Amino acid sequence: MKRRQFLSSSATALAAAAALSHGAARAFAQEQTPKQRLSMPPLLDTRSTGRLSLQAQSGSQTFLGGVATPTVGFNQDYLGPTVILKNGDLAADVKNGLKAPVSAHWHGLLVPGEHDGGPHLPIAPGESWQPEMHIAQDPATIWYHSHIHERTAEQVYFGLAGVIHITDGEDDARGLPSAYGVDDLTLVLQDRRFDNAGRMVYDPSMMDVMHGFAGNRLLVNGQTGATAVVPQGIVRLRLLNGSNARVYTLFLDDTRPMHLVATDGGFLPEPIALNTLTLAPGERAEVLVDMSDGKAPVLLSDPAQPYGVLPFAVDATLPARITRLPDKLDGVLEDLAGSEVEKRDISLDMGMGGMMRGGGFAINGRPYDMGRIDFAVAQGTVERWRIRSTMIAHPFHVHGVRFRVLSENGAPPRPENTGWKDIVLVPGEAEIIARFDQPAGQETPYMFHCHILEHEDAGMMGQFTVT
């Protein structure tokens, strides 16, 4: 496969990840020391200034204690800061300090197409993009990442991504943990592939493109082998699946529940107790975990063959600000069913030709074409979409809206899909419904696509206008 000018690595890619046993996951937790404490991304709080400044830059990172890997990030060597936003006007300034075009897609931000940061809004090397945006949406955990056509997978893989907290300052009144990095943890989950020298590599084979690129090590906030130190009380985990393709089914090793309080687009009306939580690439979820018994669980993934994601350690000297779970939240889930004016069928198509980049990946039989508008939506109207996946389960993402999941394979949605969403994992068929309030013209349309990044780069993407 021809390499682009974005980053170079001559290391040979390894085979896909081998899962750890449950016992190995426990050993993984026991081996941690206080020196390996998980750190949070740095904070970039825009609430007092109404200004956001980001720069895509090159760097290097030593992940496994071996050879350093060339990386990229926003304002740092790898990944980006956690951006805090509030509703109101926001002046952004995104600079490109790299040698290839990048973009800044605000994934989950409800803004017009001209501010969305998709593939029609590239930032050339040495140039800046300065959208003047107005934020008006419910509190949520969203994220930002580069979205350059045919380069999204590689650019996100090497670090062009970060988390955004949209806040209204009312979490204390909701009874939710809100002390960043203490009882309110931002956790970016990414699997990455390393060679024997400890270098992170990205060199997809035909099968990697077909199934999505999988790693052999798990990073949390760009770190390996770290422990999350938390107070002896209620802890909030803001989880982002920042992987290119891997789906995580998360659970706690001692079977204590996770209480889901928010999905992609905002809060639920009340917490939902879950034993497992499935997160596809790009999805976010906020859960509360009760650590008041002083015992430290391990966050694991994939119950059939569990492997360690993140161990916790309880520090009783930290202030336990929240000691009981809230009974109610203030999320409002509008029932849009019955108000739709249009119904659409979306087929996420993948054939054997998909084993070659640029062939076999399509939506409704047509691979992505930047010059083609696939359909037009009337602004302010509600539409119902039926999405079907072929061959494998595809995570389906729509720009510029949040939607409700009506059904999955003819059944009610899973608990983690009952809130506001902008991505839904489609193992067979799903129905969604949304109101399209934000405008997007032909020059800067919205995207809809599979969020397995190799699939979207290879053509499983379409675009629409809202006028």
Side-chain angles (χ1 to χ4, degrees), residues 47 53 137-138 250 259 325 338 377 442 450 456:
R47 286 175 291 181
S53 181
Q137 64 187 86
D138 292 342
L250 302 169
H259 297 267
L325 294 164
V377 175
Q442 293 203 14
C450 174
E456 89 176 58

Side-chain angles (χ1 to χ4, degrees), residues 31-330:
E31 289 171 0
Q32 310 312 306
T33 70
K35 293 182 180 179
Q36 295 170 296
R37 182 170 180 160
L38 181 74
S39 61
M40 296 293 106
L43 273 179
L44 181 53
D45 195 337
T46 70
R47 286 175 291 181
S48 62
T49 65
R51 295 185 176 277
L52 170 61
S53 181
L54 294 172
Q55 175 166 306
Q57 62 187 58
S58 60
S60 66
Q61 190 91 351
T62 301
F63 292 98
L64 305 180
V67 178
T69 298
T71 57
V72 291
F74 288 105
N75 296 6
Q76 57 187 20
D77 283 357
Y78 183 72
L79 297 179
T82 297
V83 177
I84 310 296
L85 302 181
K86 68 176 182 179
N87 283 339
D89 293 334
L90 179 70
D93 182 9
V94 186
K95 298 180 176 66
N96 182 6
L98 301 174
K99 295 181 179 180
V102 302
S103 76
H105 168 48
W106 319 111
H107 182 133
L109 203 60
L110 304 180
V111 292
E114 63 181 335
H115 299 152
D116 184 59
H120 291 269
L121 290 162
I123 309 168
E127 298 296 323
S128 297
W129 179 49
Q130 297 175 322
E132 300 276 343
M133 299 183 284
H134 183 75
I135 313 302
Q137 64 187 86
D138 292 342
T141 298
I142 62 174
W143 64 307
Y144 58 100
H145 60 83
S146 187
H147 202 315
I148 295 294
H149 182 43
E150 296 185 332
R151 298 184 179 183
T152 296
E154 187 176 21
Q155 293 190 354
V156 172
Y157 184 90
F158 279 105
L160 286 184
V163 176
I164 297 174
H165 296 180
I166 302 175
T167 181
D168 61 2
E170 298 297 324
D171 282 351
D172 287 344
R174 295 183 180 98
L176 294 177
S178 60
Y180 184 74
V182 181
D183 60 5
D184 185 355
L185 307 186
T186 294
L187 304 177
V188 182
L189 310 183
Q190 301 170 308
D191 64 325
R192 295 294 184 256
R193 194 176 294 183
F194 293 87
D195 67 10
N196 291 329
R199 290 171 296 205
M200 188 170 70
V201 295
Y202 184 75
D203 192 8
S205 67
M206 291 186 294
M207 291 305 294
D208 287 326
V209 174
M210 187 77 169
H211 296 285
F213 195 81
N216 55 15
R217 292 294 292 265
L218 183 67
L219 307 182
V220 181
N221 296 347
Q223 301 154 62
T224 62
T227 297
V229 179
V230 297
Q232 192 172 339
I234 306 297
V235 177
R236 180 183 190 173
L237 310 180
R238 299 178 188 250
L239 297 159
L240 161 65
N241 183 346
S243 297
N244 281 34
R246 186 179 294 279
V247 176
Y248 300 98
T249 298
L250 302 169
F251 64 103
L252 295 167
D253 72 320
D254 60 1
T255 71
R256 77 180 67 196
M258 298 175 286
H259 297 267
L260 182 70
V261 295
T263 51
D264 297 337
F267 290 121
L268 299 171
E270 59 188 23
I272 300 175
L274 300 176
N275 292 319
T276 63
L277 169 67
T278 298
L279 280 184
E283 285 189 300
R284 291 87 62 210
E286 298 182 34
V287 300
L288 303 182
V289 180
D290 189 350
M291 308 277 192
S292 59
D293 61 3
K295 297 178 181 179
V298 180
L299 183 65
L300 303 177
S301 185
D302 299 341
Q305 195 177 15
Y307 62 89
V309 175
L310 181 68
F312 293 90
V314 175
D315 183 349
T317 68
L318 293 174
R321 298 176 57 256
I322 306 295
T323 56
R324 65 179 298 274
L325 294 164
D327 296 321
K328 298 288 184 180
L329 299 164
D330 55 0

